[in-house]
Amino acid sequence: MSSMCEQVTGLADKQYWEGFSRDLQSRRVPFSGSLALTHRCNLRCVHCYAKEYTPKREIPEPELSTEQWLAIIADVKEAGCLYLLLTGGEPLLREDFPEIYTFAKRSGFLVTVFSNGTLVSDRIVKLFNELPPRLVEISLYGAAAETHDRITGIPGSFTQAMQGIKKMLDQGIHVGLKSVLMTLNRDEFSAIEDLAHGLGVEFRLDAAIFPTLAGDPTPTDLRVSPQQAVALEMADPERARAWRDFYERFKIIPSGNKVFACNAGKTNFHVDPDGRLYPCLIARSRNYSLVQGNFQEGWNGEIALIREEEVNDDYRCADCDKKSICGFCPGFFGLENGQSQLPSDYICAIGKLRHEYITNERCGG
Amino acid sequence: MNMAAKYKKKDNIAGRNIAGESFLIPVCGQPADMENIFVLNPLADFIWQRLDGQQTLAKILEAIVSSFAVAGDQARTDMTDFVGQLLENGLIEEVA
């Protein structure tokens, strides 16, 4: 279109979005948010960070009603949110998912859905076909049914997920796959990646398992060693190159005196099924009930305070040059060690190994 | 372009104002089109807000001239270009 109206998506417009992002950060606009519509799930994944909420719970966790979610979506629209992630638990377990999704789409959000893929009915495919999501990201934990089902705890879940993925792909819906690397699937990790590439979809690897949101560290027993995690990451030349490029671009994170150097509570937010607003999914030290008040009150009040938290004199991460590549996350530290300024040794080891790999590769040309 | 014509937005696009920027966000269409976001300059946004199926292009032009420091001929060219582009992209439709 003409200069009155320009298309600003895509690589060619990187400059526009980078400038706009800086503006959003300086003005603290909640541009990107996730809504966990439910913590209920039909799977029982061994590593799940929300697993306390799903099995054998006598009193189910309170969940917002349809009307409450729609009101929150209207509020975050008003506040400037554009990227909206609908997640769970398994968001498709909510009967009113189509209503919430349709409202978000028609309100002008760029909507992504995280799902386990097992509940992709014809009705959902039709919905996504009519109102295409930006992305539906499915978690797949194995290339073989046996591995995936062992991790999810539900026989048949791999077959169901693959059927769901194929149904969506047949309709041209934008699907991506992601997986979590753990001791139970490390030997077939490249096969999962091959499976994704075979389907012609993007694949995302998550190497970091963290304790549950309620503080149970058991899932971390499933972590592979930092050496194995980084070796697997860097085995893919494209991913290794991406890490190198990323480090080149962001290697110097200004140390500053604030704990949260990321976008949590700055341009990002998260809402739990009970309506509690957090700075992000992982940072749980502050929250605000959207049942008691509205989004702007929470965002400008309790959530804003996280941005003011200052680092201690002995904070190990303050001047670390690996902070941009270790997976640095004060929220993660809080879950793992109970304190946002007490770094995770696991994350630290991964950062050192990535740095070693990147700098050695660069020296080697 | 017929200046007596009235146009309204189609439901395949949503207008958003975020941090002072005006965007057109695709709602439905081909999945690949979901990445086609447009940002409007203030004049385009002014016109977009008025494509409500009620106002004729002549009335919108009048409003432009009284609100922006732009000559009538230039305003008309800018407006018809923009409306033409919206039509071409299937984002608005004429109201009978």
Side-chain angles (χ1 to χ4, degrees):
Chain A
M1 288 197 181
S2 75
S3 59
M4 288 181 71
C5 175
E6 290 181 31
Q7 191 172 326
V8 291
T9 316
L11 286 176
D13 301 297
K14 213 173 190 175
Q15 207 180 349
Y16 171 83
W17 287 111
E18 281 180 358
F20 189 54
S21 294
R22 277 195 297 274
D23 187 32
L24 296 169
Q25 286 167 353
S26 68
R27 296 164 67 175
R28 214 177 144 258
V29 175
F31 192 57
S32 180
S34 52
L35 309 180
L37 300 180
T38 179
H39 273 151
R40 288 175 289 126
C41 188
N42 55 326
L43 304 186
R44 297 289 177 262
C45 297
V46 286
H47 62 289
C48 180
Y49 59 77
K51 65 168 139 188
E52 286 91 354
Y53 299 100
T54 48
K56 298 175 187 168
R57 208 180 146 95
E58 284 177 16
I59 306 166
E61 183 191 23
E63 283 182 17
L64 297 182
S65 66
T66 313
E67 291 68 29
Q68 285 173 310
W69 277 122
L70 300 192
I72 287 172
I73 292 170
D75 270 1
V76 302
K77 175 186 174 180
E78 193 61 32
C81 178
L82 178 62
Y83 288 95
L84 197 64
L85 167 66
L86 301 182
T87 183
E90 172 50 49
L92 299 183
L93 266 180
R94 278 192 69 125
E95 287 288 321
D96 58 1
F97 176 84
E99 195 178 336
I100 294 170
Y101 176 82
T102 301
F103 184 77
K105 276 291 296 180
R106 294 223 175 269
S107 299
F109 289 93
L110 295 174
V111 183
T112 295
V113 179
F114 283 179
S115 168
N116 62 38
T118 61
L119 302 171
V120 181
S121 62
D122 291 345
R123 182 182 174 215
I124 292 294
V125 173
K126 187 166 177 281
L127 174 72
F128 288 163
N129 201 19
E130 283 170 4
L131 299 167
R134 183 167 173 262
L135 175 69
V136 181
E137 200 170 67
I138 306 289
S139 303
L140 206 65
Y141 302 117
E146 192 190 349
T147 311
H148 179 83
D149 292 358
R150 185 174 163 214
I151 291 168
T152 66
I154 303 293
S157 58
F158 178 84
T159 305
Q160 288 172 338
M162 289 305 293
Q163 283 168 350
I165 292 165
K166 284 176 181 160
K167 266 202 260 188
M168 289 190 284
L169 288 177
D170 284 348
Q171 293 298 315
I173 294 160
H174 188 192
V175 176
L177 295 187
K178 66 164 179 270
S179 197
V180 176
L181 176 62
M182 62 186 103
T183 52
L184 302 175
N185 65 8
R186 68 181 160 210
D187 295 334
E188 61 184 80
F189 215 79
S190 56
I192 305 174
E193 246 183 316
D194 290 345
L195 189 153
H197 294 151
L199 290 167
V201 304
E202 293 146 43
F203 176 77
R204 189 161 68 87
L205 158 74
D206 196 345
I209 294 178
F210 46 88
T212 68
L213 298 180
D216 175 6
T218 322
T220 62
D221 294 344
L222 299 163
R223 284 174 177 169
V224 302
S225 71
Q227 288 78 5
Q228 286 172 326
V230 175
L232 266 166
E233 272 178 356
M234 301 301 179
D236 176 5
E238 209 172 297
R239 201 158 44 222
R241 191 167 46 248
W243 272 115
R244 274 198 300 278
D245 293 348
F246 187 83
Y247 185 63
E248 281 302 316
R249 245 176 111 204
F250 298 107
K251 65 178 151 193
I252 301 165
I253 293 186
S255 53
N257 63 342
K258 304 291 191 226
V259 177
F260 283 83
C262 58
N263 284 326
K266 187 189 258 183
T267 57
N268 294 6
F269 66 89
H270 173 81
V271 185
D272 255 6
D274 61 359
R276 290 201 169 270
L277 172 67
Y278 293 88
C280 74
L281 168 68
I282 299 177
R284 316 294 282 186
S285 59
R286 291 185 185 276
N287 69 73
Y288 179 84
S289 170
L290 297 179
V291 175
Q292 307 296 325
N294 67 34
F295 180 84
Q296 281 294 4
E297 287 164 356
W299 180 253
N300 294 325
E302 186 67 19
I303 303 303
L305 296 176
I306 202 169
R307 306 299 314 178
E308 302 305 317
E309 290 177 13
E310 297 195 351
V311 298
N312 301 326
D313 291 341
D314 57 353
Y315 185 37
R316 270 162 50 198
C317 301
D319 296 311
C320 180
D321 62 346
K322 299 162 193 79
K323 199 158 51 170
S324 65
I325 50 168
C326 68
F328 168 78
C329 172
F332 191 116
F333 302 164
L335 283 181
E336 184 155 327
N337 294 329
Q339 292 178 44
S340 56
Q341 297 194 52
L342 196 54
S344 152
D345 290 338
Y346 184 74
I347 290 289
C348 208
I350 284 189
K352 282 177 187 154
L353 287 162
R354 280 181 186 148
H355 183 260
E356 221 169 82
Y357 184 90
I358 289 166
T359 46
N360 284 345
E361 278 292 301
R362 202 171 43 208
C363 291
Chain B
M1 194 168 274
N2 175 10
M3 298 300 281
K6 297 171 184 173
Y7 294 91
K8 70 169 186 180
K9 303 164 185 90
K10 289 169 74 169
D11 65 359
N12 59 358
I13 197 90
R16 294 285 315 274
N17 191 294
I18 298 172
E21 290 277 82
S22 177
F23 296 98
L24 297 184
I25 311 292
V27 170
C28 50
Q30 293 302 310
D33 294 339
M34 292 303 106
E35 295 289 323
N36 293 337
I37 299 171
F38 296 95
V39 62
L40 307 183
N41 75 10
L43 178 56
D45 181 53
F46 186 88
I47 298 166
W48 176 256
Q49 298 302 332
R50 284 159 178 76
L51 295 170
D52 54 6
Q54 306 286 321
Q55 306 182 53
T56 62
L57 290 186
K59 191 168 178 207
I60 295 174
L61 180 61
E62 212 174 282
I64 294 171
V65 173
S66 65
S67 302
F68 289 83
V70 58
D73 287 351
Q74 185 58 50
R76 184 179 172 132
T77 306
D78 285 349
M79 184 185 72
T80 52
D81 279 359
F82 178 52
V83 170
Q85 286 154 0
L86 292 173
L87 280 168
E88 198 179 307
N89 282 274
L91 307 181
I92 56 171
E93 60 192 353
E94 191 169 352
V95 177

